């Protein structure tokens, strides 16, 4: 059977896939979603207590604001799913989505030469995609001129620790679950798993923190057990978006605040000024750290990180603490154990200091292996290009790999607001596909991505997370300029300098 041809294919129905579908809707793209629902991680990797990490107005599409633009609370994952479905219905995107359609293979079929690196080759099939549906054991092949990968870095493939021989979960008498398994349980199932049980939660990022609180809430009363968080690397946590009475955005999310930070292509004078202003940049981080130490019992519980706050912000790892987290710790329902290395014994978890922790349940909040998920579908010889010397995939404008033809990646270079970043990149991508501008040479694109990666490496030890948060406004500026838009989006210079940027600043220019 001949492949079904369409100009554009999109793999993934999360926020990046929706943004791509909306911006490319005039080409009638085919969107393949492996599950029966939109939403990506919001649908499949959320707990009962999962909430948005950013203020509501920092997480909305530019042409579809929240019905109630209230930043006083963080919306729950169910509210976010309702918002995403409402957005899809409003712009008639559901007609483009093939649910329960899992991409199992991609192959390159285009006529392409080394000279074509970095070019978009219109008018011919370039990629064939094999899709398996719930209704069929066989696959249907599709052919596309251009392919957009929106499968994301999270979900689907759990990252699990490596253990010494005979010290893995196979010797443990209790239950071992990854957070991906926990997300599939209903309320009754989570209660049965946690209530009255000694639980060890491995990790100290947002999912681990939320899970520890759910465990504590399930163990109220005199018969309740303690949940112990096993922590390899500490990270800064934030109770809310106010620092010493000032809104958090003043420190990192305005044009004036980002002036203190390195950014690509800023020239010798700007580099020199950035070097002179480095004490001010460090002072900002110290001010925030001092507030967090005074507000939260970090030193009491040994949870004060050794690295600067800026390193977590620059790697998109700043977590918002749920209410009552430390209140439950004060009640003894949540405990903490620092442990660079650990392994299983039959009754729980053992540490390299020869201490043991008894546990009935071990929950692995150890993240996801997004790179393996990507390598599963990307064919050779392009699969080898997913890894670069730095460990970061080089994506021009966070979207185009200079050495992979007619393919885009959305959702792999992070920011503090991934929805906003995904949308503006998809606006840029749509204009690229429509040939409103052309890509630079491969050499120039690789130079740009190398500059961005070098900034990440100088800013944080966690640079492999691929985050642009400290130069996100500059990133959007360069995208706007390439599209022919004005990069300064505010109405006056005062707002330009001291107001935060969000999606509403990037409404379509007529």
């Amino acid at each position: 059977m001949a492949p079904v041809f369409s100009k554009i294919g999109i793999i993934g129905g999360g926020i990046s896939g929706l943004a791509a579908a909306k911006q490319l809707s005039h080409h009638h793209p085919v969107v393949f979603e492996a599950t029966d629902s939109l939403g990506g991680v919001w649908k499949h990797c959320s707990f009962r207590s999962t909430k948005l990490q950013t203020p509501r107005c920092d997480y909305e599409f530019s042409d579809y604001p929240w019905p109630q633009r209230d930043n006083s609370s963080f919306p729950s994952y169910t509210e976010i799913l309702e918002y995403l479905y409402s957005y899809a219905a409003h712009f008639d995107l559901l007609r483009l989505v093939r649910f329960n359609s899992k991409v199992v293979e991609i192959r390159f079929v285009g006529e392409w030469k080394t000279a074509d690196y970095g070019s978009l080759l219109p008018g011919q099939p370039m990629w064939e995609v094999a899709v398996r549906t719930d209704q069929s054991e066989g696959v249907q092949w599709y052919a596309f001129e251009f392919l957009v990968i929106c499968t994301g870095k999270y979900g689907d493939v759990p990252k699990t620790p490596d253990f010494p021989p005979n010290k893995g979960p196979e010797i443990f008498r209790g239950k071992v679950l990854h957070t991906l398994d926990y997300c599939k349980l209903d309320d009754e199932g989570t209660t049965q798993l946690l209530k009255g049980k000694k639980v060890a939660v491995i990790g100290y990022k947002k999912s681990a923190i939320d899970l520890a609180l759910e465990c504590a809430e399930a163990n109220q009363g005199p018969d309740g057990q303690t949940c112990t968080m096993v922590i390899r690397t500490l990270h800064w946590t934030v109770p809310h978006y106010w620092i010493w009475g000032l809104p958090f955005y003043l420190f990192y999310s305005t044009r004036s605040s980002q002036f203190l930070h390195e950014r690509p292509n800023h020239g010798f004078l700007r580099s020199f000024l950035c070097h002179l202003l480095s004490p001010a940049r460090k002072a900002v981080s110290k001010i925030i750290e001092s507030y967090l130490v005074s507000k939260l019992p970090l030193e009491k519980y040994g949870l004060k990180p050794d690295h600067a706050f800026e390193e977590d912000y620059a790697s998109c790892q700043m977590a918002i603490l749920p209410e009552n987290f430390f209140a439950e710790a004060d009640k003894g329902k949540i405990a903490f154990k620092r442990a660079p290395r650990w392994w299983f014994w039959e009754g729980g978890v053992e540490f390299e200091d020869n201490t043991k922790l008894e546990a009935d349940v071990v929950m692995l909040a150890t993240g996801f292996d997004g790179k393996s998920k990507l390598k599963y579908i990307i064919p050779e010889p392009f699969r080898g290009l997913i890894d670069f010397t730095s460990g970061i995939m080089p994506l021009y404008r966070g979207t185009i790999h200079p050495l992979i033809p007619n393919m885009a990646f959305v959702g792999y270079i992070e920011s503090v607001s991934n929805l906003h970043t995904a949308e503006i990149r998809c606006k840029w991508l749509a204009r690229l596909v429509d040939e409103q501008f052309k890509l630079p040479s491969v050499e120039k694109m690789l130079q740009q991505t190398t500059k961005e990666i070098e900034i990440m490496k100088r800013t944080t030890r966690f640079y492999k997370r691929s985050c642009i948060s400290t130069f996100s406004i500059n990133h959007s500026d360069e995208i706007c300029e390439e599209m022919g838009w004005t990069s300064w989006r505010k109405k006056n210079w005062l707002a330009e300098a001291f107001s935060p940027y969000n999606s509403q600043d990037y409404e379509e220019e007529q």
Side-chain angles (χ1 to χ4, degrees):
M1 183 182 296
V4 178
F5 178 75
S6 185
K7 182 178 178 68
I8 294 175
I10 299 171
I11 303 176
I15 61 168
S16 297
L18 281 177
K22 164 61 169 57
Q23 299 304 322
L24 293 162
S25 59
H26 55 293
H27 292 292
H28 308 287
V30 180
V31 182
F32 299 112
E33 168 52 46
T35 71
D36 61 357
S37 173
L38 298 175
V41 293
W42 289 113
K43 175 65 177 179
H44 305 291
C45 299
S46 295
F47 310 154
R48 181 177 66 251
S49 59
T50 301
K51 292 185 177 182
L52 186 64
Q53 284 280 283
T54 54
R56 189 182 301 258
C57 295
D58 287 341
Y59 200 86
E60 64 183 359
F61 294 102
S62 62
D63 51 4
Y64 198 73
W66 284 87
Q68 294 180 329
R69 304 188 75 241
D70 175 19
N71 275 342
S72 63
S73 63
F74 300 102
S76 67
Y77 79 93
T78 55
E79 291 178 273
I80 294 168
L81 286 173
E82 289 171 3
Y83 172 74
L84 295 177
Y85 264 96
S86 180
Y87 174 80
H90 181 79
F91 291 106
D92 196 22
L93 302 180
L94 292 172
R95 63 184 171 83
L96 305 173
V97 183
R98 309 281 176 90
F99 290 104
N100 298 307
S101 299
K102 181 178 177 60
V103 172
V104 294
E105 185 181 352
I106 297 174
R107 61 191 183 197
F108 180 71
V109 296
E111 296 181 5
W112 172 71
K113 305 178 292 295
T114 303
D116 295 325
Y117 272 126
S119 301
L120 296 186
L121 306 180
Q124 57 177 307
M126 296 292 288
W127 299 98
E128 288 185 351
V129 176
V131 177
R132 179 177 290 119
T133 66
D134 286 356
Q135 291 76 36
S136 173
E137 292 185 2
V139 298
Q140 170 68 59
W141 283 93
Y142 295 79
F144 298 104
E145 184 179 314
F146 194 92
L147 203 55
V148 188
I149 310 296
C150 301
T151 53
K153 296 163 64 174
Y154 305 107
D156 298 324
V157 182
K159 182 184 292 184
T160 55
D162 295 322
F163 300 102
N166 302 315
K167 294 185 177 181
E170 70 279 358
I171 69 168
F172 177 49
R173 291 196 304 255
K175 291 184 178 180
V176 181
L177 285 84
H178 191 274
T179 52
L180 189 62
D181 304 308
Y182 181 80
C183 294
K184 298 173 184 177
L185 301 176
D186 57 20
D187 288 352
E188 182 179 353
T190 59
T191 300
Q192 289 178 353
L193 177 71
L194 302 175
K195 188 173 183 179
K197 307 288 179 43
K198 298 174 183 176
V199 179
V201 175
I202 312 298
Y204 191 63
K205 294 182 184 176
K206 180 57 177 172
S207 294
I209 291 170
D210 285 345
L211 182 54
L213 182 60
E214 289 197 10
C215 181
E217 291 173 344
N219 279 281
Q220 297 299 304
D223 297 328
Q225 298 289 336
T226 298
C227 171
T228 302
M229 300 189 74
V230 178
I231 305 168
R232 183 182 66 176
T233 304
L234 289 170
H235 293 284
W236 291 96
T237 54
V238 179
H240 46 65
Y241 278 101
W242 290 89
I243 303 294
W244 296 119
L246 297 173
F248 183 85
Y249 68 74
L250 287 177
F251 296 93
Y252 285 109
S253 301
T254 65
R255 193 175 289 279
S256 58
S257 61
Q258 292 198 3
F259 184 80
L260 298 175
H261 296 270
E262 280 192 89
R263 63 187 184 189
N265 308 315
H266 58 194
F268 172 76
L269 180 59
R270 178 70 178 77
S271 296
F272 181 67
L273 282 173
C274 190
H275 176 71
L276 289 179
L277 292 171
S278 60
R281 187 169 64 247
K282 293 176 182 177
V284 167
S285 188
K286 289 294 184 184
I287 289 169
I288 296 173
E289 292 165 31
S290 68
Y291 176 78
L292 297 178
V293 170
S294 70
K295 185 73 174 178
L296 303 173
L298 302 181
E299 293 179 321
K300 173 183 176 181
Y301 290 111
L303 298 177
K304 182 179 180 292
D306 295 328
H307 58 268
F309 174 85
E310 180 183 309
E311 290 199 56
D312 278 341
Y313 186 83
S315 54
C316 298
Q317 294 189 101
M318 181 187 76
I320 297 293
L321 277 178
E323 293 182 22
N324 301 324
F325 177 77
F326 279 116
E328 293 298 333
D330 291 340
K331 288 159 56 177
K333 297 300 181 182
I334 301 176
F336 309 96
K337 170 68 178 180
R338 292 291 309 279
R341 295 184 65 243
W342 63 276
W343 49 86
F344 285 97
W345 64 287
E346 61 180 15
V349 176
E350 185 176 357
F351 308 104
E352 60 182 357
D353 62 1
N354 296 320
T355 61
K356 292 182 177 181
L357 174 68
E358 292 185 359
D360 303 306
V361 179
V362 175
M363 301 292 302
L364 302 176
T366 48
F368 301 93
D369 192 349
K371 193 169 291 185
S372 292
K373 181 168 60 169
L374 203 54
K375 287 183 174 182
Y376 172 75
I377 58 173
I378 300 297
E380 293 290 3
F382 307 109
R383 184 179 299 150
L385 300 174
I386 299 303
D387 278 321
F388 211 53
T389 53
S390 62
I392 300 176
M393 183 162 57
L395 293 178
Y396 180 72
R397 303 301 181 226
T399 308
I400 296 292
H401 194 303
L403 303 179
I404 303 181
N406 286 41
M407 181 178 282
F409 300 83
V410 183
Y412 294 90
I413 306 294
E414 294 186 70
S415 72
V416 174
S417 178
N418 287 323
L419 187 151
H420 158 61
T421 314
E423 184 186 36
I424 194 169
R425 288 170 181 163
C426 288
K427 290 181 178 184
W428 176 89
L429 178 62
R431 285 156 178 78
L432 175 65
V433 170
D434 291 342
E435 300 184 76
Q436 295 184 19
F437 61 89
K438 293 186 179 297
L439 290 172
S441 67
V442 169
E443 182 181 11
K444 289 185 177 179
M445 287 193 285
L446 288 174
Q447 285 176 354
Q448 173 71 18
T449 59
T450 299
K451 290 175 184 176
E452 292 176 354
I453 291 169
E454 288 303 313
I455 289 173
M456 295 177 198
K457 291 171 73 172
R458 285 193 294 270
T459 306
T460 174
R461 70 195 67 185
F462 310 113
Y463 64 89
K464 289 186 180 181
R465 286 182 59 88
S466 305
C467 175
I468 61 163
S469 62
T470 58
F471 58 95
S472 58
I473 296 175
N474 179 77
H475 179 81
S476 297
D477 286 350
E478 293 182 339
I479 286 176
C480 287
E481 290 165 4
E482 212 154 48
M483 292 192 295
W485 289 14
T486 303
S487 58
W488 285 35
R489 314 293 297 174
K490 302 291 188 180
K491 294 180 179 179
N492 57 68
W493 70 267
L494 195 63
E496 191 66 59
F498 300 110
S499 293
Y501 263 89
N502 57 39
S503 297
Q504 297 302 308
D505 294 307
Y506 297 94
E507 289 185 273
E508 297 284 336
E509 291 193 353
Q510 302 300 323

